[in-house]
Amino acid sequence: CIGIEVRPIPHAIARDLVRCHHYLRAMPSAIRMSFGVFLVRRLVGVAIFNAGPVNGHQLVEGATRDDYVCLSRLWLHDNLPKNSESRVLGVLCRHLRKHTSLRFILAYSDPAAGHVGTIYQASNFAYVGLSAADSLIRVGRGKAQPSRTIGQIFGSRDMGYLRGLGLDVTRVPQAAKHTYVYFLDPSWRPRLRGPALPYPKRESIDAGH
């Protein structure tokens, strides 16, 4: 991994990479930070942190929403050397530890996409089980979006309210996701509610995120 660098990039550049290369093909809502991964000055990856789920802080005793971010998108070019993911995660964690007051990171892996979080396991993230199954909301024939995003646009995520506005809205169920926590501040590790669980086993090809 010699020569790999990680540094902040504009959200617009991160968006283009995600739309072209990440399996979800869409940016998350409430973006906090976007980073580019460079190899010999060539942009070969992207990492995006957002505000995460509204109740994500409840995984950690005494935490608030200002204490964490969620690693919501991570893509690296397939031609990068082996273990590049772990190296990039390490650089990102060191950057956040040095330049922010954040206490921990949340990350999710989608079993529906064949992911179990191999790269988080290799980077010593704590595994806390499956998240609650969530759902997206589709307005008309548009792209299904997180309910929080819909609430920000229309003032509420309540289906009755949205239909009262004359909108054609439907819920799109989503599978529960493997949930990981990494403590930027090690002194906060004992605050994790409940014990860290055994890592889920890799059942299929895992792109990591």
Side-chain angles (χ1 to χ4, degrees):
C1 293
I2 295 175
I4 284 183
E5 297 181 26
V6 178
R7 56 179 183 266
I9 59 173
H11 295 333
I13 294 176
R15 178 195 61 214
D16 290 343
L17 284 171
V18 166
R19 289 179 175 175
C20 288
H21 301 292
H22 193 273
Y23 78 97
L24 291 175
R25 306 291 182 182
M27 287 286 275
S29 60
I31 298 172
R32 297 279 298 274
M33 292 169 282
S34 297
F35 293 88
V37 180
F38 297 83
L39 180 62
V40 193
R41 300 183 180 179
R42 185 167 65 94
L43 187 57
V44 293
V46 64
I48 298 172
F49 293 90
N50 75 341
V54 173
N55 61 351
H57 64 283
Q58 294 178 7
L59 290 168
V60 178
E61 182 75 33
T64 71
R65 293 202 66 198
D66 294 329
D67 290 321
Y68 79 100
V69 287
C70 178
L71 178 57
S72 55
R73 298 290 187 274
L74 178 61
W75 169 80
L76 298 180
H77 196 285
D78 291 339
N79 290 338
L80 285 174
K82 186 179 180 180
N83 300 324
S84 292
E85 295 93 344
S86 297
R87 175 178 171 82
V88 168
L89 279 178
V91 174
L92 289 168
C93 290
R94 288 192 293 273
H95 178 94
L96 295 182
R97 189 179 293 119
K98 181 177 180 180
H99 297 287
T100 76
S101 59
L102 295 166
R103 304 298 186 177
F104 61 97
I105 298 169
L106 294 185
Y108 297 89
S109 283
D110 188 358
H115 300 171
V116 296
T118 301
I119 61 173
Y120 305 127
Q121 297 175 18
S123 299
N124 294 317
F125 280 57
Y127 178 63
V128 296
L130 289 168
S131 66
D134 199 359
S135 62
L136 304 179
I137 297 177
R138 176 178 286 115
V139 179
R141 297 184 178 180
K143 181 184 70 177
Q145 300 186 74
S147 59
R148 180 176 59 192
T149 301
I150 296 298
Q152 292 171 346
I153 295 172
F154 296 103
S156 174
R157 67 183 76 181
D158 179 76
M159 298 295 281
Y161 172 85
L162 295 171
R163 288 174 179 142
L165 296 177
L167 299 173
D168 176 18
V169 292
T170 54
R171 287 198 180 276
V172 181
Q174 301 291 293
K177 294 179 174 60
H178 294 298
T179 306
Y180 291 86
V181 182
Y182 182 85
F183 286 92
L184 298 167
D185 183 343
S187 70
W188 277 50
R189 177 64 179 78
R191 298 191 185 195
L192 183 65
R193 294 182 187 271
L197 302 174
Y199 289 142
K201 295 180 180 179
R202 180 176 181 177
E203 298 175 353
S204 59
I205 296 175
D206 184 352
H209 189 76

